[in-house]
Amino acid sequence: MKVLIATTELQGSETDDFIGAVPGELVVDVGPCEDATATDDWSCTCSRSFVGVSSGLMTTTAKVVDSIAINARTYELAVRQGIGTQFCADCASDIAKLSLSIANHWEAGTVLERSRSTIRAREPHLRA
């Protein structure tokens, strides 16, 4: 089953990259906060980050990995337990399903970035 994890791969490609989540930690896409969408102010870090399930911290990059150690049920339980204090149980379940859908859309090994509601593969920048 494919899932998203925090990664340092391709971190620093953008000048405002950051990683607070623990590399290798499961991450989810919780979407931009209500403040960003209500005010149309997309400078908030929530508009371009994924959230670590265990740490609750954000990162601008996530990697798609194929994990044989987890199934859909245990994944959803981990997400609900991890972010359940910030979101209602049904919301956490929806976030888990959305994040699995995102992971399944991409090949394992792909590093992703998020901008507003757009998820895209991060391309390595060639440096001279």
Side-chain angles (χ1 to χ4, degrees):
M1 181 172 99
K2 289 190 264 185
V3 297
L4 303 175
I5 62 166
T7 185
T8 57
E9 248 180 87
L10 302 180
Q11 259 302 317
S13 299
E14 302 297 326
T15 57
D16 52 356
D17 275 348
F18 60 86
I19 181 165
V22 178
E25 172 183 14
L26 287 174
V27 295
V28 291
D29 175 16
V30 300
C33 69
E34 290 181 24
D35 290 344
T37 55
T39 62
D40 204 30
D41 176 10
W42 297 102
S43 62
C44 182
T45 57
C46 70
S47 68
R48 55 188 207 83
S49 58
F50 301 90
V51 175
V53 170
S54 296
S55 68
L57 300 174
M58 296 185 282
T59 181
T60 50
T61 54
K63 184 174 183 177
V64 178
V65 296
D66 204 353
S67 175
I68 58 170
I70 195 167
N71 61 36
R73 181 168 161 35
T74 56
Y75 174 81
E76 184 175 336
L77 288 172
V79 172
R80 285 178 66 173
Q81 184 176 29
I83 65 172
T85 59
Q86 300 164 337
F87 300 91
C88 71
D90 288 341
C91 297
S93 292
D94 290 344
I95 289 167
K97 290 172 188 164
L98 171 67
S99 297
L100 283 180
S101 175
I102 291 167
N104 282 315
H105 180 77
W106 301 91
E107 292 293 321
T110 305
V111 175
L112 302 176
E113 62 184 5
R114 186 171 156 274
S115 178
R116 299 183 184 190
S117 298
T118 302
I119 307 287
R120 61 181 167 250
R122 177 169 278 194
E123 299 298 327
H125 294 293
L126 300 176
R127 297 186 179 169

